[in-house]
Amino acid sequence: VLLVESGGGSVQAGGSLRLSCTASGYAANGNCMGWYRQAPGKEREGVGTIDHNGKTAYEDSVKGRFTISQDSIKKILYLEMTNLTPDDTATYFCVSHRLAERQVEAGVRCGSPINFAYRGQGTQVNVSS
């Protein structure tokens, strides 16, 4: 297993949760890490990404409420979620991808986390109104 998420659970609207993702093996060498989510009956939705320089990017639906960070030494990715709403209810997946060196040198960005190569098993987040 390359990516293992934890920290999911149930919370009331307005509450907060912090998800963690421990990376190992090939997934730990990703220079692009991120999260996406999927609610029952809905398409996957990107949440955000963080690159090897610590630069983050977020979907509009979570901007200002969610924060992605990483501990590069411990190989742990975090997703801090605040002011949660029932629309945030979903299974959250940690993802990893490695751009080739020539892509990094060319300034290629990480892109959508939905397309990343490695994915964890997911952790469920339920937000009640």
Side-chain angles (χ1 to χ4, degrees):
V1 179
L2 301 177
L3 295 167
V4 180
E5 302 97 334
S6 61
S10 297
V11 65
Q12 289 189 324
S16 301
L17 279 175
R18 187 176 81 158
L19 306 183
S20 300
C21 171
T22 301
S24 61
Y26 292 118
N29 295 324
N31 46 27
C32 292
M33 304 286 292
W35 298 86
Y36 75 80
R37 64 187 182 184
Q38 187 166 25
K42 294 187 176 181
E43 297 291 320
R44 291 175 295 174
E45 178 187 25
V47 173
T49 59
I50 186 167
D51 70 12
H52 60 287
N53 290 319
K55 184 175 181 179
T56 54
Y58 300 95
E59 291 296 315
D60 287 344
S61 59
V62 306
K63 276 182 183 177
R65 300 188 300 122
F66 290 12
T67 303
I68 295 174
S69 61
Q70 61 185 353
D71 184 327
S72 299
I73 296 176
K74 295 181 179 178
K75 304 294 186 182
I76 301 175
L77 182 71
Y78 299 101
L79 177 63
E80 190 78 40
M81 304 184 293
T82 63
N83 195 21
L84 286 161
T85 75
D87 288 341
D88 295 316
T89 295
T91 301
Y92 285 71
F93 296 90
C94 171
V95 290
S96 172
H97 185 72
R98 184 164 185 82
L99 295 173
E101 290 303 316
R102 54 182 169 80
Q103 290 178 301
V104 175
E105 292 170 0
V108 173
R109 302 180 69 177
C110 291
S112 172
I114 294 174
N115 300 321
F116 285 12
Y118 299 102
R119 188 199 79 174
Q121 82 287 354
T123 186
Q124 182 66 35
V125 171
N126 296 310
V127 184
S128 58
S129 57

